[in-house]
Amino acid sequence: GAVVSQHPSRVICKSGTSVKIECRSLDFQATTMFWYRQFPKQSLMLMATSNEGSKATYEQGVEKDKFLINHASLTLSTLTVTSAHPEDSSFYICSAPDSWERNNEQFFGPGTRLTVL
Amino acid sequence: AQKITQTQPGMFVQEKEAVTLDCTYDTSDQSYGLFWYKQPSSGEMIFLIYQGSYDEQNATEGRYSLNFQKARKSANLVISASQLGDSAMYFCAMREVNTGNQFYFGTGTSLTVIP
């Protein structure tokens, strides 16, 4: 199957700093990528849809100015958590659909565990 | 309303036995896809099985099978011959054609396989 990578896998930062998380589709092009947030023992919550060449679409309740998304190319989307606070500590996962002709599967990155001190 | 409902927060199964994880969904679309993912403690989401709304036969992938009952809007995952490595969180998800590629996830079921 298609491969999606995320970097970094883990990050620990001080409160008030910004953290950038990269999501790359390694062997296919993704005009759309999705960013999810997952708290311990909870489900994945869709934060935003990243669209190549246009602005991201944010889900209700997600602060656009805090979670900046840039879909720089057909293989790269970045999520920047600005002025991070301890409550932003979470597991962030990106995903990308490969193509409509397949079984419509989404391919997930391995996730980034963010800890804000 | 919840798009995907998983009513079993936790399940236990004896090694080598079969287990069924429940999933019901809510949609008014005719065209949709149903997925099951496994998430071990490492956090990665592992695709297990897919069922399209127009598929007449239940999907099977090795030890995984999906019991698709369209009229009841249920898509239960059956794991046969459970192994210790099957212990993980399991998420049911749905994608509706009309909402693009967005996935709706259930709350998950934590499966523990007992030796």
Side-chain angles (χ1 to χ4, degrees):
Chain A
V3 178
V4 174
S5 71
Q6 267 184 257
H7 178 80
S9 58
R10 288 179 178 272
V11 57
I12 301 173
C13 68
K14 292 183 179 180
S15 186
T17 60
S18 294
V19 175
K20 180 185 283 188
I21 303 170
E22 292 186 348
C23 177
R24 292 182 185 272
S25 55
L26 297 185
D27 52 0
F28 67 101
Q29 294 183 331
T31 56
T32 302
M33 290 184 176
F34 298 94
W35 286 97
Y36 296 87
R37 182 174 184 177
Q38 186 181 30
F39 291 108
K41 300 191 184 300
Q42 293 189 23
S43 187
L44 280 71
M45 183 192 78
L46 180 66
M47 298 176 65
T49 302
S50 174
N51 304 299
E52 191 271 334
S54 64
K55 291 183 179 180
T57 305
Y58 290 83
E59 295 300 300
Q60 193 172 6
V62 178
E63 299 176 58
K64 301 178 184 181
D65 295 334
K66 181 164 189 63
F67 298 101
L68 300 179
I69 291 173
N70 181 26
H71 202 133
S73 72
L74 287 172
T75 59
L76 173 64
S77 174
T78 60
L79 167 68
T80 301
V81 183
T82 62
S83 187
H85 290 285
E87 58 265 30
D88 299 324
S89 298
S90 188
F91 191 58
Y92 293 86
I93 309 176
C94 69
S95 73
D98 185 357
S99 74
W100 289 90
E101 283 67 48
R102 298 180 67 144
N103 65 5
N104 308 313
E105 180 184 345
Q106 291 226 12
F107 298 95
F108 287 85
T112 297
R113 198 165 299 279
L114 171 63
T115 303
V116 184
L117 303 177
Chain B
Q2 291 288 332
K3 289 279 189 182
I4 295 286
T5 302
Q6 293 180 254
T7 58
Q8 305 155 314
M11 290 283 286
F12 291 87
V13 63
Q14 203 75 37
E15 192 178 6
K16 299 180 184 178
E17 296 291 314
V19 63
T20 298
L21 306 184
D22 295 341
C23 173
T24 57
Y25 60 93
D26 181 27
T27 182
S28 56
D29 282 11
Q30 297 300 312
S31 183
Y32 53 89
L34 297 159
F35 302 77
W36 277 92
Y37 286 87
K38 172 184 178 181
Q39 187 181 42
S41 57
S42 60
E44 61 184 309
M45 295 289 284
I46 301 169
F47 167 74
L48 296 179
I49 197 166
Y50 164 82
Q51 180 86 40
S53 58
Y54 294 115
D55 294 341
E56 295 185 352
Q57 293 205 354
N58 288 342
T60 60
E61 290 284 350
R63 294 187 299 112
Y64 305 107
S65 61
L66 198 151
N67 184 1
F68 181 45
Q69 298 188 39
K70 195 169 183 177
R72 296 180 58 188
K73 293 187 176 179
S74 74
N76 298 340
L77 176 70
V78 180
I79 305 175
S80 63
S82 296
Q83 302 172 356
L84 296 178
D86 293 335
S87 295
M89 283 291 290
Y90 288 80
F91 291 98
C92 180
M94 177 176 68
R95 191 180 74 90
E96 297 168 316
V97 171
N98 288 337
T99 59
N101 285 310
Q102 180 177 335
F103 266 36
Y104 299 97
F105 283 91
T107 50
T109 296
S110 176
L111 177 66
T112 302
V113 180
I114 304 167

